[in-house]
Amino acid sequence: MESRTLFSGLRIAVSPSFVCVRSDKTLTVLSSAPVRGGWCEASCIVNRRVPADYHEPDPQRDTVRWLIRHGFDPEKAVALMTAARTEDAACTRVEGDGFCLAALVTAGVGNAVRAGSGGISADDRWRPGTINIILLVDGNVTESAMAGALVTATEAKAAALQDLEVTDPGGNVATGTSTDAVVIARIRRMGGPVHLYAGTVSPFGRAVARAVYDAVAEAVLREREREEGKDGS
């Protein structure tokens, strides 16, 4: 397992079975995570890898049990799931005016879709995937800016997929996969100005977009290299 400090008091660990972020202080979190999604406080964010044929009827309950087995407190953790290789997680870091942030991304695009174009049908060739984005922010960022950052992160993800020419089964440029999730977690260690906005022209929003775009692109390229290696073997 690879482990390193991202910010003071904030550590990440990457392994073939999960990616996790642990914080010495409580994080304010907003997310679409399947376990403890929405607004909550947490000390740990976990992105769990599941098998490609995972079809658990109650994935939330199953993940809570998994957290306990692996030594995580489910009442203090936010948890995501992916069939992508967690050891291929990409991490980027950007510093701005009174804040620093990082994007931690795992990506699989076998179930790529284009929003508004119908989605994957039973007849489509399907491979497991999911693009999970974890945004970590140290700075004075308001709750409204955190919510806005989810929008900006999603736009940046779609832009990266467009530039990498990722397509859905119908050949349309993909905007994501059918099972994506995004998390933003804030810790206030730094002083400096309060950031009210996260649109792409704001200082905070520009940093979010850059970090997410780069991390999504890197994670997708890592998956692509693995798939090309399989085809060539």
Side-chain angles (χ1 to χ4, degrees):
M1 179 187 299
E2 177 189 353
S3 180
R4 61 190 173 96
T5 299
L6 192 58
F7 307 143
S8 176
L10 200 65
R11 303 176 306 281
I12 62 172
V14 179
S15 78
S17 57
F18 64 86
V19 176
C20 77
V21 179
R22 293 182 183 269
S23 176
D24 291 345
K25 292 190 177 295
T26 301
L27 299 164
T28 300
V29 182
L30 174 62
S31 79
S32 60
V35 177
R36 297 191 75 228
W39 287 103
C40 71
E41 292 187 340
S43 59
C44 184
I45 302 166
V46 183
N47 186 9
R48 170 199 179 193
R49 186 179 181 188
V50 297
D53 59 353
Y54 183 82
H55 293 294
E56 179 66 34
D58 191 341
Q60 288 82 9
R61 179 176 294 182
D62 179 60
T63 298
V64 168
R65 292 171 177 167
W66 180 93
L67 289 168
I68 294 170
R69 289 198 306 270
H70 287 78
F72 299 105
D73 184 346
E75 295 185 357
K76 297 181 179 179
V78 171
L80 308 93
M81 294 178 288
T82 182
R85 290 180 178 268
T86 49
E87 66 267 38
D88 287 343
C91 185
T92 57
R93 177 171 167 159
V94 178
E95 295 188 7
D97 183 12
F99 69 86
C100 56
L101 65 84
L104 182 61
V105 175
T106 57
V109 295
N111 57 336
V113 296
R114 181 174 179 83
S117 295
I120 295 174
S121 72
D123 296 328
D124 291 325
R125 180 178 179 271
W126 184 87
R127 290 184 293 111
T130 298
I131 299 173
N132 283 339
I133 299 168
I134 301 173
L135 269 172
L136 306 162
V137 183
D138 183 357
N140 291 325
V141 178
T142 65
E143 289 187 351
S144 60
M146 290 176 67
L150 299 185
V151 176
T152 297
T154 302
E155 292 173 351
K157 173 189 68 178
L161 296 180
Q162 179 179 11
D163 289 348
L164 291 173
E165 299 181 344
V166 176
T167 59
D168 71 4
N172 304 300
V173 175
T175 55
T177 82
S178 60
T179 52
D180 293 351
V182 59
V183 177
I184 181 167
R186 180 191 66 197
I187 187 170
R188 283 177 169 166
R189 293 182 180 274
M190 298 181 67
V194 175
H195 291 273
L196 300 171
Y197 309 108
T200 51
V201 298
S202 68
F204 177 57
R206 282 198 301 270
V208 168
R210 183 77 269 163
V212 171
Y213 179 98
D214 289 347
V216 169
E218 183 177 347
V220 170
L221 287 173
R222 288 179 181 181
E223 185 209 26
R224 186 174 289 178
E225 289 172 359
R226 281 190 181 271
E227 292 300 317
E228 290 174 350
K230 288 180 185 178
D231 293 341
S233 60

